[in-house]
Amino acid sequence: MNPYMQMAIREARRGIHAGDGGPFGAVIVKDGMVVGRGHNSVLRRQNPTLHGEVVAIGQATRRLHTHDLSGCELYTTGEPCPMCLCACLWANISHVYYGCTIADNARIGFRDERFDTLMGGRQQLRDYLTETDRDACLALFDEYAALNHETY
């Protein structure tokens, strides 16, 4: 398993057990160094934009003192929703690696697929997105599904 995806899974696990939000953790890497990490904090912070990827982007930009994350890669436990995907593009992240798919997100109650359809899909970005370590991320999603959690 990719070590950065392992970190993203650990980050997501911390968040779900704290009741912060869904099983979405993200890690941003530049030149082999982790420069940002985050997990879904929608419920804890009562802010629908605080997905794991957005939190990680915020940490990376603060740590690197720049809005431009060119040369960075993002690892996330779930295929990014349209908002997060656009945030990655705005931040100039070079590539996104994800575990679970948009369809997997729907399986545990998230509406990403609906918004993805409204926005026209992501077929043109397939070279930008790479699925990896799906089985490990599915196990995380199963762990989340077994918890008593708020659906949003």
Side-chain angles (χ1 to χ4, degrees):
M1 174 188 281
N2 182 289
Y4 301 122
M5 187 60 81
Q6 284 179 320
M7 289 180 203
I9 290 170
R10 280 195 303 271
E11 185 68 31
R13 187 169 281 126
R14 278 192 6 213
I16 65 173
H17 288 287
D20 292 347
F24 305 105
V27 172
I28 298 176
V29 179
K30 183 168 186 164
D31 300 326
M33 300 289 295
V34 174
V35 295
R37 65 180 72 220
H39 62 263
N40 185 294
S41 299
V42 168
L43 297 177
R44 177 174 53 93
R45 305 271 309 273
Q46 299 179 347
N47 182 334
T49 67
L50 291 181
H51 294 192
E53 298 92 336
V54 171
V55 174
I57 288 169
Q59 188 179 91
T61 59
R62 286 188 302 277
R63 183 166 288 150
L64 296 174
H65 305 288
T66 181
H67 65 281
D68 185 357
L69 298 181
S70 295
C72 292
E73 297 175 330
L74 184 137
Y75 293 80
T76 182
T77 56
E79 187 172 1
C81 72
M83 177 186 71
C84 291
L85 186 53
C86 287
C88 291
L89 292 166
W90 275 111
N92 296 317
I93 289 174
S94 299
H95 199 84
V96 174
Y97 297 90
Y98 65 91
C100 290
T101 66
I102 292 283
D104 297 326
N105 296 351
R107 186 178 61 82
I108 58 170
F110 290 89
R111 317 173 272 164
D112 304 22
E113 193 166 30
R114 178 173 179 258
F115 295 113
D116 210 40
T117 301
L118 286 170
M119 301 299 182
R122 57 188 62 216
Q123 291 72 22
Q124 66 275 21
L125 294 171
R126 285 296 163 200
D127 290 339
Y128 184 66
L129 300 163
T130 302
E131 182 183 302
T132 186
D133 299 315
R134 182 168 178 247
D135 289 340
C137 291
L138 281 171
L140 169 71
F141 277 30
D142 290 341
E143 182 179 338
Y144 171 76
L147 295 173
N148 183 16
H149 63 273
E150 181 179 342
T151 302
Y152 56 98

